Amino acid sequence: MVNPGRYNIAVVSGTTFQLSPQWLVNNLPVDLTGYTADMQVRDVSNNLITELSTGNGYAVITPATGTVTLTLSATQTAALTVGNYNYGLNLTAPGGTVYQILQGAFVLSASQVQ
């Protein structure tokens, strides 16, 4: 069993979002060969706001370093509704076991253009 880490994310609408968490066990990176990644952002009613996955190309795994790079473009964040959400980052092993390695708040705020 893996206890997910907690990390709160703050994104400004209309800016590029990128995060590269690394999964470590005993201070060593987990080999993610054959894994898939899926991060879902949901509202308080559990409605899906956006998804970043290896399937849609918004999550890229670097197996040897245990790193998952999650990216949304400025255009993509601008298309999302400003608000307070929650997310979970799941990694699925080749055998089908799903590990949630990270979770937290996903806060999308309006740009303060001056």
Side-chain angles (χ1 to χ4, degrees), residues 77-101:
T77 65
L80 299 174
T81 302
V82 169
N84 296 319
Y85 306 108
N86 294 303
Y87 78 93
L89 173 58
N90 294 333
L91 296 180
T92 304
T97 303
V98 178
Y99 302 95
Q100 184 164 96
I101 64 161

Side-chain angles (χ1 to χ4, degrees), residues 9 11 15-21 37-39 41 50-54 56-62 67-77 80 89 106:
I9 297 170
V11 180
T15 66
T16 300
F17 162 72
Q18 189 168 60
L19 180 69
S20 296
D38 181 52
M39 179 178 132
V41 178
T50 192
E51 182 173 25
L52 296 83
S53 70
T54 48
N56 66 19
Y58 303 131
V60 176
I61 294 175
T62 305
T67 304
V68 180
T69 300
L70 306 157
T71 306
L72 288 173
S73 70
T75 302
Q76 289 170 305
T77 65
L80 299 174
L89 173 58
F106 187 97

